[in-house]
Amino acid sequence: MQEKTLNKIIYKDSFIIFSIRLLSTLAMIMIAYAFSHSLSTTDYGRYTNYWNRFYAFNAFAGLGIAAFIFTYSKDKLILLLRRIKRGQYIALALFMLVASIAFAGVQARSGYPALISIAFMLLNTLCIITESALIIFRKFRQIFWINLLYLLAFLWLHYRQLHAPSFDAASLFSSLCILFAVKLLVSGFFLYERNAAPQAEEVPAETNYQKLWLHLYLFDMTQILMVYIDKFVVSILLNESTAAIYNNGSTPIPLLPIIFSAVSSASLMQFSKYDKGDTVMQTSIMRNLARILSNFAFPIFFFFVFFRYEFIVTYFSNKYIPSIPIFLASLFVIPLRMFNYTIIFQKHERGDIINTGVLLDIGATLALVYPLYLFMGLPGIALSFVLGTYIQAGFYLYKMTRILQQPIHRIVPITNLLMKFLFYGLLVYGLYEGLIPFVRPITAMLSTICVTAVVILAIVRREYRSAQHLS
């Protein structure tokens, strides 16, 4: 009965968190489509370079806080925050400010005013942190309305700039700063409104939570950097048109990160309710996590592999056909998104394992990036990051078996995953071959998405009901 209730909560919370984060992702999807079609590759490259540099520096400025707070329950988090000294808060704020100033220094080379870039980094970073805190406090309705209004304002600001006599990126980003400030004030109001007094809980020792935070910060920082460092370097070394081509080819698939984040956050929220020694429940959560995420990772992977040409030309326009080989190389990281390899280590406060995996990822990527670039060109850069991630995932799985004291087949539902991999691959391939010769590419893609979505919902529904009947 306990496992039945647990699985039901994870499904429910995952859906709620996904719905909340979907709004901001939809905004970026719509903007990328409109801008890539309407702007020149130079102007679009200038716009995307700003965002990619933001994500790279946000890896430092965010301090890993948005990930760290999901480690603890709401009551334990409140007690923990009360124990942090004022000097520590000041130190964190100063570090965030220094990262923002460094970001402004890089953006100044592209002609952006320093104050705009500093405000952009600080306000957007704080918005990300407060949204995570609101999720912990389960203020889902408030977050939904905040993000919906934010979406409408975000789109309007971009629409206004798109129809201006000339594209002015600096003006657009300064307007976004005002939007971030309003969102932060409203989020802060709901976050700090009167809450029930926290229940007495055992708070981790100061050295324990500080050590865990440091490890998670380093992990979060390096994981973000591994996604955006190549785009950051390209934005610095190459011209804006070439950067636009590389950015579109290596762009993360929009929906997958928020599905992954939503399910992982919901699972981690449940982990916080159980003791470290309860490895039976932890193993059960990990198996269910893989089952849920594989229903999204596999069909998304096959969809973009088969429809890669149609997607790039339709979504970004034929100006970005050179992005297709880069895009294909980047796709092979998607199957790994069926698993969150670190939440077990967060639960057991083993940040050392997390960061050892990070070092393996970085080392493998650095060893591969240059020879693959010489052999394949820009697609080789993307592929080196993918291969580094596979090596890291293998290490994490090995360490997970040691901590849970379970063989790999007990943690990962291998048969279930293999059957889904084959099923989704054949399904999407069949739809691709059956539709592309007879209908327009956009019709073929939308039809495939609709059919596959129905199948995914049916499988998720069946697995959800199966989970409810577990004893």
Side-chain angles (χ1 to χ4, degrees):
M1 181 63 68
Q2 185 183 36
E3 189 172 351
K4 165 186 167 180
T5 304
L6 174 65
N7 284 293
K8 186 175 181 180
I9 292 172
I10 291 176
Y11 272 96
K12 180 181 177 182
D13 285 355
S14 298
F15 177 75
I16 292 172
I17 296 171
F18 169 77
S19 301
I20 289 168
R21 292 177 173 169
L22 177 63
L23 294 173
S24 57
T25 302
L26 284 176
M28 297 305 296
I29 291 173
M30 288 185 278
I31 294 304
Y33 176 82
F35 274 32
S36 60
H37 281 265
S38 301
L39 298 179
S40 66
T41 55
T42 299
D43 283 339
Y44 183 64
R46 179 173 169 80
Y47 173 80
T48 56
N49 280 349
Y50 194 95
W51 278 105
N52 287 329
R53 291 167 187 169
F54 162 77
Y55 290 127
F57 276 92
N58 178 253
F60 300 95
L63 296 165
I65 296 173
F68 171 74
I69 61 178
F70 278 101
T71 305
Y72 302 107
S73 65
K74 179 188 74 173
D75 292 332
K76 188 175 290 188
L77 180 63
I78 293 173
L79 296 172
L80 192 63
L81 292 174
R82 290 176 179 175
R83 288 182 54 178
I84 298 177
K85 300 177 179 64
R86 180 181 298 178
Q88 292 172 318
Y89 279 116
I90 293 173
L92 292 175
L94 288 175
F95 187 86
M96 191 178 294
L97 178 61
V98 170
S100 301
I101 293 172
F103 169 71
V106 172
Q107 297 291 22
R109 297 180 55 192
S110 299
Y112 294 103
L115 287 178
I116 290 177
S117 295
I118 292 172
F120 189 92
M121 175 62 70
L122 287 175
L123 293 170
N124 205 356
T125 300
L126 291 173
C127 283
I128 294 170
I129 294 172
T130 52
E131 181 175 291
S132 296
L134 286 170
I135 291 173
I136 293 293
F137 281 78
R138 305 190 69 83
K139 296 183 181 290
F140 298 132
R141 185 179 61 179
Q142 292 90 333
I143 307 173
F144 174 81
W145 286 108
I146 290 170
N147 283 359
L148 179 60
L149 295 173
Y150 168 83
L151 167 66
L152 296 175
F154 188 87
L155 291 175
W156 179 76
L157 290 172
H158 283 78
Y159 177 83
R160 188 183 67 172
Q161 184 59 233
L162 195 60
H163 289 81
S166 61
F167 181 71
D168 186 350
S171 175
L172 173 60
F173 290 119
S174 63
S175 299
L176 289 177
C177 288
I178 298 173
L179 178 60
F180 296 150
V182 173
K183 182 182 180 182
L184 182 61
L185 288 173
V186 176
S187 299
F189 170 79
F190 288 117
L191 185 61
Y192 291 106
E193 67 179 354
R194 187 173 183 83
N195 292 289
Q199 299 178 3
E201 290 196 35
E202 181 183 352
V203 180
E206 183 173 357
T207 53
N208 287 346
Y209 76 74
Q210 286 184 352
K211 183 178 179 181
L212 175 63
W213 164 77
L214 180 59
H215 281 300
L216 285 179
Y217 173 40
L218 293 174
F219 172 76
D220 195 48
M221 177 180 67
T222 49
Q223 288 299 101
I224 295 173
L225 285 176
M226 293 303 288
V227 175
Y228 290 101
I229 191 64
D230 55 334
K231 302 171 186 62
F232 174 79
V233 172
V234 167
S235 76
I236 298 296
L237 298 181
L238 303 179
N239 62 58
E240 290 165 335
S241 293
T242 305
I245 291 171
Y246 184 83
N247 291 339
N248 285 351
S250 60
T251 186
I253 303 304
L255 291 181
L256 189 59
I258 61 171
I259 296 171
F260 175 79
S261 174
V263 178
S264 298
S265 297
S267 300
L268 196 50
M269 288 167 68
Q270 298 310 309
F271 265 127
S272 67
K273 299 179 180 179
Y274 296 93
D275 295 330
K276 292 180 185 178
D278 195 350
T279 57
V280 174
M281 290 305 299
Q282 292 169 23
T283 302
S284 175
I285 291 173
M286 296 307 295
R287 287 180 66 84
N288 284 310
L289 183 64
R291 287 194 185 99
I292 296 170
L293 288 175
S294 62
N295 286 313
F296 302 96
F298 292 159
I300 289 174
F301 168 70
F302 285 114
F303 174 83
F304 285 107
V305 165
F306 294 128
F307 285 95
R308 59 187 182 274
Y309 178 86
E310 292 78 9
F311 171 75
I312 291 293
V313 172
T314 303
Y315 184 60
F316 291 118
S317 83
N318 56 15
K319 292 180 291 187
Y320 298 100
I321 289 177
S323 299
I324 295 173
I326 304 168
F327 183 64
L328 179 61
S330 301
L331 290 176
F332 284 89
V333 77
I334 294 178
L336 293 181
R337 300 310 185 204
M338 66 183 179
F339 221 63
N340 186 321
Y341 302 89
T342 60
I343 58 177
I344 284 289
F345 309 134
Q346 284 184 244
K347 176 63 182 177
H348 289 261
E349 298 181 333
R350 291 299 306 273
D352 57 318
I353 294 177
I354 293 175
N355 288 310
T356 301
V358 168
L359 292 176
L360 281 174
D361 188 2
I362 294 173
T365 301
L366 291 176
L368 292 169
V369 65
Y370 187 65
L372 286 176
Y373 173 71
L374 291 178
F375 179 64
M376 302 174 63
L378 289 177
I381 299 177
L383 184 60
S384 67
F385 282 80
V386 171
L387 293 176
T389 304
Y390 272 87
I391 292 171
Q392 181 193 63
F395 171 76
Y396 283 152
L397 282 173
Y398 168 72
K399 286 296 183 180
M400 200 180 300
T401 61
R402 301 293 296 272
I403 287 180
L404 295 177
Q405 298 181 341
Q406 297 282 351
I408 189 68
H409 68 271
R410 297 277 186 181
I411 303 171
V412 181
I414 297 174
T415 302
N416 178 277
L417 298 182
L418 287 175
M419 290 177 62
K420 286 179 181 175
F421 188 83
L422 291 173
F423 172 74
Y424 283 122
L426 291 172
L427 173 66
V428 178
Y429 177 74
L431 290 168
Y432 175 80
E433 290 293 336
L435 291 171
I436 281 296
F438 305 106
V439 298
R440 295 170 56 203
I442 184 64
T443 304
M445 287 191 291
L446 290 177
S447 300
T448 301
I449 290 171
C450 291
V451 172
T452 307
V454 171
V455 173
I456 291 172
L457 288 174
I459 293 176
V460 169
R461 181 183 176 87
R462 181 176 63 83
E463 292 188 340
Y464 175 70
R465 287 180 171 178
S466 298
Q468 285 188 300
H469 289 91
L470 289 174
S471 57

